[in-house]
Amino acid sequence: MKEFVHEWLPQRVVFCTNTSDVQIVKKIRQEEYERVMVMASEFEMDLAQRIAKDLPVVHWFDDVRMHVTVDAIERALEEARRVNADVLVSVGGGSTTGLAKAIALETNLPIIAVPTTYAGSEATNVWGRTADSVKTTGKSSRVLPRVVLYDAALTVSLPVEMSVASGLNGIAHGVDSLWAPNANPFNTVLAIESVGALADGIRKIRQEPDNLEARTDALYGTYLAGVAFAAAGSGMHHKICHVLGGMYDLPHAQTHSVILPYVLAFNSGHIPAIEQRLADVLSAPSALEGLEELRSELSAPRALHDYGFAPDMIPRVVDAVLKAVPENNPRPVTAPDITRLLELASEGGDPRELQTTLERSYGS
Ligand code: NAD
């Protein structure tokens, strides 16, 4: 085993099916918070009201947008300051958690996060913001939620299609962490476990969306994948998705679902031992076959053109991706590689075709 460093992030994680309203009251009283700003998009506000009904709420903020834009941050920041909030309670997916993080970065306000998707932002100290079509990310201990309440009952309303895409976003955190800049043996264990739990969870959710056990499995996998990702950093997969999301406002979870098999096809031959563990947890002869089988069983998002991505957008993305891809990616990345990857992802082509192209170009 090589030398390595793993940083554990300090946070209290509570799994509490159907009791997040009770748990949150307990926490708010314990910490003596008196001025709660609840953040939830207008679509999740009813869930937020269910949970936060007994809290000393000074403001219900619902102006949440995807990709945490600078103007959304300004509006939320202004409100948090105006009402003199002493804690932020975010109820929702990664967009809501992300906006709360942006406020915490500026104000140092603590966050209690109640996630309702499988994006996993609550498990990381990573913040993101989008300005002029460029998404910037950074790390700060200020943005790590102090408490995370995972209540599977709050995720039952997440539509099956969104649950599938979001679950694959969670899986992408685990898989990308296997080759990300600070990948290490701890996060490999977390990542492999996360992929197994999320794959089982979303398979069951597809069959039975109200199944709380399946929803809890998916949240368990979400958290582990988020922890692995936070420790390892963004790998090639996340860099591609961030460029696409920032530049063309593509939907986050669906973009991850489309891109992952191509990055796996690109990298997997260069990490044979880890690839085998991924294959085993997906019960398939190879990791790529396992992921492809899962995606087809789930009818997961397959093609970027379904979300408005066109081939003429590829060159601009290639330039930005090349600047962002980590130097220690298991195999070197060139402009023709990314171009071919995006051509295939755009049309939803077979990821194995990427391997064929690479073999023809490089002989491996
Ligand atoms: P999202 O928060 O925008 O939610 C997706 C959709 O699901 C929205 O329409 C939302 O209204 C709906 N929704 C959420 N919960 C629901 C529920 N319980 N019932 C019904 N509908 C529900 O998207 P997301 O995919 O969760 O998160 C994406 C964002 O998170 C992106 O901005 C991404 O960059 C960020 N993110 C950040 C990190 C990080 O570590 N910083 C990690 C992952 C994602």
Side-chain angles (χ1 to χ4, degrees):
M1 194 181 290
K2 285 192 223 149
E3 290 183 356
F4 69 93
V5 175
H6 181 96
E7 197 181 339
W8 294 107
L9 300 177
Q11 93 185 146
R12 173 179 287 260
V13 180
V14 184
F15 276 76
C16 54
T17 312
N18 262 323
T19 58
S20 46
D21 53 342
V22 179
Q23 294 290 342
I24 204 165
V25 168
K26 219 194 278 178
K27 192 65 200 166
I28 294 280
R29 288 201 184 131
Q30 210 174 43
E31 298 294 330
E32 300 181 351
Y33 296 130
E34 291 174 341
R35 304 184 65 79
V36 178
M37 175 153 140
V38 176
M39 304 180 72
S41 88
E42 55 182 316
F43 308 108
E44 283 79 65
M45 197 44 100
D46 57 331
L47 292 177
Q49 282 167 350
R50 239 163 73 188
I51 303 158
K53 60 185 186 313
D54 297 325
L55 302 183
V57 177
V58 290
H59 192 57
W60 301 87
F61 183 89
D62 71 357
D63 192 3
V64 175
R65 312 281 161 86
M66 191 168 299
H67 298 309
V68 194
T69 55
V70 180
D71 43 330
I73 297 172
E74 268 166 26
R75 283 192 293 273
L77 199 51
E78 199 179 305
E79 291 302 305
R81 287 187 173 133
R82 184 180 64 78
V83 300
N84 195 22
D86 62 6
V87 64
L88 304 171
V89 169
S90 68
V91 182
S95 301
T96 311
T97 316
L99 188 57
K101 284 175 159 184
I103 305 311
L105 187 66
E106 301 293 331
T107 59
N108 210 12
L109 281 172
I111 302 173
I112 298 179
V114 188
T116 62
T117 69
Y118 310 121
S121 173
E122 64 283 352
T124 82
N125 57 356
V126 178
W127 54 263
R129 69 166 65 145
T130 305
D132 301 327
S133 300
V134 178
K135 186 163 182 172
T136 313
T137 59
K139 280 189 174 185
S140 168
S141 55
R142 283 178 165 222
V143 308
L144 181 74
R146 308 265 171 98
V147 180
V148 183
L149 298 180
Y150 283 115
D151 183 343
L154 304 175
T155 62
V156 167
S157 56
L158 189 66
V160 169
E161 302 304 325
M162 188 61 212
S163 299
V164 164
S166 190
L168 280 153
N169 181 193
I171 287 178
H173 284 131
V175 174
D176 203 33
S177 80
L178 295 170
W179 49 62
N182 302 316
N184 69 57
F186 288 163
N187 70 267
T188 301
V189 172
L190 297 169
I192 299 290
E193 174 76 6
S194 78
V195 171
L198 272 159
D200 288 353
I202 41 178
R203 271 198 172 104
K204 280 189 226 141
I205 291 167
R206 165 64 76 205
Q207 303 298 325
E208 212 186 317
D210 296 349
N211 185 323
L212 285 178
E213 219 171 287
R215 295 270 180 192
T216 305
D217 285 352
L219 288 174
Y220 165 73
T222 296
Y223 178 71
L224 296 183
V227 172
F229 168 65
S234 288
M236 174 178 171
H237 169 84
H238 273 80
K239 294 300 183 189
I240 295 174
C241 293
H242 283 174
V243 170
L244 288 167
M247 214 173 254
Y248 295 116
D249 201 26
L250 297 185
H252 182 85
Q254 291 82 347
T255 303
H256 278 267
S257 171
V258 172
I259 294 292
L260 186 62
Y262 302 103
V263 181
L264 183 59
F266 185 78
N267 275 342
S268 61
H270 291 246
I271 43 161
I274 289 175
E275 197 266 346
Q276 188 55 53
R277 289 168 77 174
L278 204 48
D280 291 347
V281 81
L282 291 168
S283 309
S286 75
L288 185 58
E289 283 169 89
L291 181 62
E292 282 305 84
E293 208 177 297
L294 178 68
R295 290 195 333 139
S296 97
E297 202 181 316
L298 297 171
S299 307
R302 295 205 83 87
L304 288 185
H305 71 59
D306 293 342
Y307 305 100
F309 187 76
D312 63 354
M313 297 171 172
I314 291 176
R316 208 173 143 218
V317 177
V318 172
D319 288 345
V321 167
L322 280 179
K323 284 185 197 131
V325 169
E327 278 177 14
N328 69 340
N329 190 63
R331 78 182 299 164
V333 186
T334 66
D337 298 338
I338 299 292
T339 303
R340 186 68 190 130
L341 187 156
L342 289 169
E343 282 166 359
L344 286 164
S346 173
E347 69 202 26
D350 187 336
R352 278 166 300 197
E353 275 188 39
L354 183 63
Q355 288 176 327
T356 316
T357 315
L358 294 169
E359 274 160 28
R360 243 184 265 127
S361 311
Y362 306 112
S364 68

